[in-house]
Amino acid sequence: MKVRVRLFAGLRERAGWSEREVDASRVGEVWAALDLGDEPPGLLYAVNQEYAERDRPLADGDEVALIPPVSGGAYRLVDGPIDLDAVVSEVADERAGAIATFEGTVRRQSRGRQVIALEYEAYAGMAEKVMAEIAEEVTERYELCEVAIAHRTGRCEVGEVSVAIAVSAPHRQDALSACREVIDELKERVPLWKKELYEGGEEWIGRGS
């Protein structure tokens, strides 16, 4: 079967390419077909923008994305500054008695090194779908009105906002708890990675990157 393989973040830089067509009949055969050495620990796969197990059969024309562990709408990626007021306006609702917000910003120091900037890379399309899934899940667990998420891609300077979340709910405890869960789940599940740029070096953050 001919399938189109996509690489991101550190895997893309390691291979020197971002897309390639290979022969594979199952997901688990894809890495070996790329001839990139040992498979990184924690690597995940997505077929046609849905996470897939290694034993999943493939069909001609399938898109297979290799997902390094993630570093970390409505649900959207933003190429440029994030407007928190605009994110908050997306969750305005007459039923709401509280709106909880979270802003993640780029800090100057990380693990003892001076950070110049961050660069974010995402699997567009799938990233927004996973954000929507996370919002749906927290809405099922709490009494909420609306959820909005915006995350930067590209270069993000020190002090700039890299991610903004807003959650509205009738009661403040639900809004606060859901907002915290959203950022925690984003960092674990959304196919979006960050590269830290230092004075004299750079590094993709996350195992396999």
Side-chain angles (χ1 to χ4, degrees):
M1 302 294 179
K2 291 284 186 182
V3 299
R4 183 165 63 101
V5 177
R6 298 187 63 185
L7 302 184
F8 299 91
L11 290 180
R12 173 179 50 76
E13 292 186 348
R14 171 178 171 177
W17 51 269
S18 60
E19 295 186 22
R20 178 168 294 178
E21 192 174 77
V22 302
D23 289 308
S25 60
R26 292 185 179 274
V27 169
E29 299 173 5
V30 170
W31 180 264
L34 301 178
D35 194 25
L36 294 177
D38 293 336
E39 183 174 337
L43 186 68
L44 299 176
Y45 294 87
V47 177
N48 301 328
Q49 300 188 0
E50 293 183 354
Y51 284 115
E53 298 297 329
R54 296 172 61 87
D55 61 353
R56 173 170 169 167
L58 296 171
D60 276 324
D62 278 348
E63 178 183 275
V64 182
L66 277 61
I67 311 291
V70 296
S71 47
Y75 323 111
R76 65 182 185 273
L77 301 174
V78 179
D79 183 16
I82 292 175
D83 183 347
L84 180 61
D85 289 339
V87 177
V88 171
S89 69
E90 292 177 337
V91 302
D93 193 294
E94 292 181 349
R95 298 169 296 164
I99 296 178
T101 63
F102 171 84
E103 285 186 301
T105 57
V106 180
R107 61 182 183 271
R108 173 65 68 185
Q109 290 191 329
S110 176
R111 295 174 294 168
R113 290 183 280 192
Q114 292 290 106
V115 174
I116 299 172
L118 300 181
E119 288 184 358
Y120 288 94
E121 180 177 333
Y123 183 10
M126 184 174 179
E128 291 95 337
K129 287 174 65 176
V130 177
M131 289 180 189
E133 290 171 3
I134 292 169
E136 182 178 350
E137 290 167 7
V138 297
T139 300
E140 291 176 353
R141 284 195 291 273
Y142 300 98
E143 184 183 355
L144 305 181
C145 300
E146 301 289 345
V147 178
I149 306 166
H151 202 297
R152 286 284 298 271
T153 58
R155 186 180 176 99
C156 197
E157 305 294 336
V158 171
E160 290 186 330
V161 176
S162 59
V163 58
I165 298 167
V167 179
S168 60
H171 306 290
R172 66 178 181 275
Q173 191 57 52
D174 283 340
L176 290 167
S177 297
C179 192
R180 177 170 182 169
E181 285 196 23
V182 169
I183 186 59
D184 288 344
E185 290 295 312
L186 280 177
K187 293 174 70 66
E188 290 294 326
R189 295 166 52 186
V190 175
L192 192 151
W193 308 269
K194 70 178 179 182
K195 178 192 285 185
E196 290 187 348
L197 306 179
Y198 310 112
E199 296 177 353
E202 59 186 36
E203 180 183 3
W204 287 104
I205 304 302
R207 293 178 302 126
S209 294

